[in-house]
Amino acid sequence: MTAATVLLAPAPLPPGLAGNSAGQWTLISNQRPVLAVTAERYLEQISISLSASSVRVADQTLRTFCCFLAEQHPEITAFALVTRPVIEDYKTWLAARPGRLVASDAT
């Protein structure tokens, strides 16, 4: 037996921001400027050596994580403050959100 997985839509965002990378980063920059600057520098660095599609995935992942931090852990204002319990909470949040990764057994 094997497990098949399907990726669905990312976590919901405020109205008007879904699918709007620039709008999401603007919101994150306003709420968590240190997170936004650090993420931007990281994305610039990986764009040197990774494909454009890999950078887009990293961009979406970082935006989702930053939105999670703003919503669930407002005390986190920099990546250096992220601890193992925060990561574990994020994994639980990802699993519980609408449009999460769905696993099914193939026969």
Side-chain angles (χ1 to χ4, degrees), residues 3 5-6 9 17 22 24 31 33 36-38 40 45 56-57 64 67 71 74 82-84 87 99 101:
T5 57
V6 178
L17 288 182
Q24 291 169 5
Q31 294 179 353
V37 168
T38 304
E40 180 181 4
Q45 281 298 308
R56 281 192 300 274
V57 169
T64 302
C67 288
E71 177 187 312
V82 175
T83 61
R84 182 183 180 116
I87 296 296
L101 184 66

Side-chain angles (χ1 to χ4, degrees), residues 3 17 23 56 62 67 77 89 92 97:
L17 288 182
R56 281 192 300 274
L62 284 168
C67 288
T77 57
D89 190 26
T92 301
R97 71 191 171 117

Side-chain angles (χ1 to χ4, degrees), residues 13-27:
L13 293 163
L17 288 182
N20 180 349
S21 176
Q24 291 169 5
W25 279 122
T26 298
L27 179 65

